[in-house]
Amino acid sequence: MTDQRMRELTYKLIHMAPEAPPFPEEPLTQLKPHPTPTPKGPARRGLPTWAIAAGVAAIVIVLAIGLPLLFLAGGDGVEPATPTTTPPPTSAPVTTLPPTTPPVPVDVTLYFFADYVEATPGDGPHLVPVKRTVDIVSETGGIHDEFGAALIALIEGPSAADTQLYAGISTDIPGETELLGYTIDNTTSTGRAVIDLSADFLDTGSFAMTNRLAQIVFTATQFPEVDTVEFAIDGEPFDSFTGEVPGPRSRDTYMDALPPIFVESPLAGDQVGSPITITGFANTFEASLQYRIELADGTLLADGFTTATCGTGCWGTYEITVDYALAEPADGFVVLFESSAQDGSPINVVRVPVTLEAAEGSTEGLNLEVSSLTAGGAPLNGAVVVESPLTITGYTNAATEVRVGGETIGVQEEVFEAVVQLVPGINEITVTAGPLTSVYTITYVPDGTVEFAFLTEVSDTEIVADYAQWLTGEEADQAAIEDGEIPEGETMPNGYYIRNQNPQLRTLPVSPDVTIWLPTPAIGSVTMVTLPLEQWLSLFSEDGTPWDVETGEEPPVTDEPHFGYFGAGWVGNPYWLTLDADGVVIQIVGQYRP
């Protein structure tokens, strides 16, 4: 038999052999994204075992059956037909890979440990949430992809960015731990996750084990499909953790890992706008807690008080919505704390660093009123003063603290008082209470004087003044008793007394830039308003003398009647005159008399 005939018959017999059995279908669970496996030697490539066995069997058939037939065929001299089947190609076929889905960034929350609570009577570190952006790859997305990515990122530990937000942040999960798989069953009313970890997770130490389980449970249960967590180690169910009580684990299992005030939203590094929604858990005395929104330099934007759903030994939840006003974006803090039952000082203070967006905020119903303790009660804005430091007082219902200049002042029953050092010339004083900010401009004339006087004649260049004394309190009572105005032991009805023992008149030059403040009625109170010099002069008679209404003189009726300024321009109406070092009148303030 020729070699050519031997090859032809061999091909024929091979194609007559039975087909190989199909490839067995084995189920495979793979995480998305898949964790990086621990290297276990080079990967092996080649045919599966069943294929090798089938090939050997085919060769045996050829040897056992084909060779005798070849000899028989060659013996009778019959030429076999040329085979029509084309032999397999010698080159490997081209494999087309399915298109890949680009990674999708997703924000998840990871839970580590840090000693970040200020003025706390308890011991840290405590569980702290941080935000992490992870990439997931999926055709459809879904909880499982985010779930796996969150656990893998948690096992990797804190990032460099996390350490910038919380100094000393750490993890109790061994870095060699691998996430081998997980299942989530949410077919019942409570979602259950089973997380399979490598044996590296079983490090020694009961406290460390409790902490690492708390990290896993809080990270897993951020997803609404998961309420409880169970564990497997190397594919086998496992529940015998050191120092741990067996059973499904929920957040309630590890509440002791939290500080007394736990802020779950916003997270450190978040960019937030007005209104801010703050949520979390608290276990404080009588469930009370206070909050502040402040800038990085301590400027207070908003603050307030709220209560959790439970307290004094039990955990409650809270949700706070806060408005603030801010002209430009700035770094700041969301601050929560409680007041000590012993002395009222802040304790269990938690500061969450955030970026605050610019916002108009809500100021409805908020007030900030500021006045100075100057002669005649001249308003702070635009006043001229001759003494420093200056004491200012104010009222606000917008905050528990205000900032006057760079100093923080406490508010007691919505009233505050501050002492401000002045420099010669124009001074600007900024007062901030919650979302309200006012800027006041005052002029300090260190060599000036202030005189209390009645005016007998006025013009746009000079005034004629009769100096007197304005006395209040005990000094007023004593002077009135001495002058025979009241008997011994009595007090002045309105708390003040005017003494005018010297009838000398003084002619004083008036500055063309003189500022004039007059009291005017307001709803339930008296307020000060400023008038131009010309308008003030119009309140007097044509010759510049005051109206003597007691003798029957009747001031003309104007759009702003004289009594609107409590008799300004009438005889007997007192004023405070501020004079500079040259004796020039630079400010006139009308004195209100009840």
Side-chain angles (χ1 to χ4, degrees), residues 293-301 326 328 330-333 351 356:
I293 309 299
E294 59 184 39
L295 298 181
D297 64 2
T299 300
L300 180 65
L301 300 183
L326 188 63
E328 297 179 352
D331 293 335
F333 294 94
R351 296 179 183 272
L356 298 165

Side-chain angles (χ1 to χ4, degrees), residues 57-240:
I59 295 173
V60 172
I61 293 173
V62 170
L63 295 177
I65 300 175
L67 290 178
L69 291 176
L70 289 172
F71 288 117
L72 290 174
D76 59 15
V78 179
E79 293 289 338
T82 302
T84 58
T85 303
T86 304
T90 58
S91 61
V94 178
T95 301
T96 302
L97 297 176
T100 59
T101 303
V104 178
V106 175
D107 289 337
V108 295
T109 303
L110 311 181
Y111 292 80
F112 299 111
F113 279 88
D115 194 359
Y116 63 99
V117 181
E118 304 171 17
T120 173
D123 295 329
H126 299 286
L127 207 60
V128 60
V130 297
K131 182 172 67 176
R132 182 72 56 81
T133 301
V134 297
D135 289 333
I136 64 172
V137 179
S138 171
E139 296 295 334
T140 59
I143 182 65
H144 292 75
D145 295 313
E146 296 179 39
F147 188 87
L151 292 179
I152 293 170
L154 177 69
I155 293 171
E156 291 174 349
S159 67
D162 298 335
T163 61
Q164 297 297 317
L165 297 173
Y166 293 106
I169 191 170
S170 63
T171 180
D172 279 304
I173 301 175
E176 299 79 10
T177 302
E178 292 183 49
L179 176 64
L180 303 180
Y182 57 86
T183 60
I184 297 178
D185 179 9
N186 55 6
T187 58
T188 61
S189 58
T190 58
R192 179 177 67 99
V194 179
I195 300 174
D196 186 10
L197 302 170
S198 67
D200 302 288
F201 186 75
L202 302 178
D203 198 1
T204 57
S206 59
F207 182 76
M209 180 58 68
T210 298
N211 282 356
R212 72 187 60 160
L213 290 173
Q215 290 182 245
I216 294 285
V217 169
F218 267 81
T219 299
T221 53
Q222 73 182 281
F223 300 98
E225 289 81 357
V226 178
D227 297 306
T228 62
V229 177
E230 298 179 24
F231 290 87
I233 299 297
D234 285 340
E236 298 295 330
F238 192 90
D239 207 19
S240 300

Side-chain angles (χ1 to χ4, degrees), residues 419-444:
V419 177
V420 181
Q421 296 288 342
L422 304 176
V423 297
I426 297 177
N427 293 255
E428 283 192 353
I429 302 174
T430 300
V431 181
T432 300
L436 306 179
T437 298
S438 297
V439 180
Y440 302 92
T441 301
I442 63 174
T443 302
Y444 172 40

Side-chain angles (χ1 to χ4, degrees), residues 380-436:
L380 185 64
N381 194 37
V384 179
V385 298
V386 298
E387 293 182 358
S388 178
L390 176 68
T391 299
I392 66 172
T393 61
Y395 162 88
T396 182
N397 61 359
T400 58
E401 291 181 348
V402 301
R403 291 184 65 83
V404 180
E407 183 180 359
T408 300
I409 308 297
V411 176
Q412 301 295 328
E413 297 183 353
E414 300 185 333
V415 175
F416 63 91
E417 181 176 298
V419 177
V420 181
Q421 296 288 342
L422 304 176
V423 297
I426 297 177
N427 293 255
E428 283 192 353
I429 302 174
T430 300
V431 181
T432 300
L436 306 179

Side-chain angles (χ1 to χ4, degrees), residues 355-368:
T355 298
L356 298 165
E357 297 176 351
E360 293 183 359
S362 174
T363 58
E364 182 178 357
L366 301 182
N367 294 305
L368 174 61

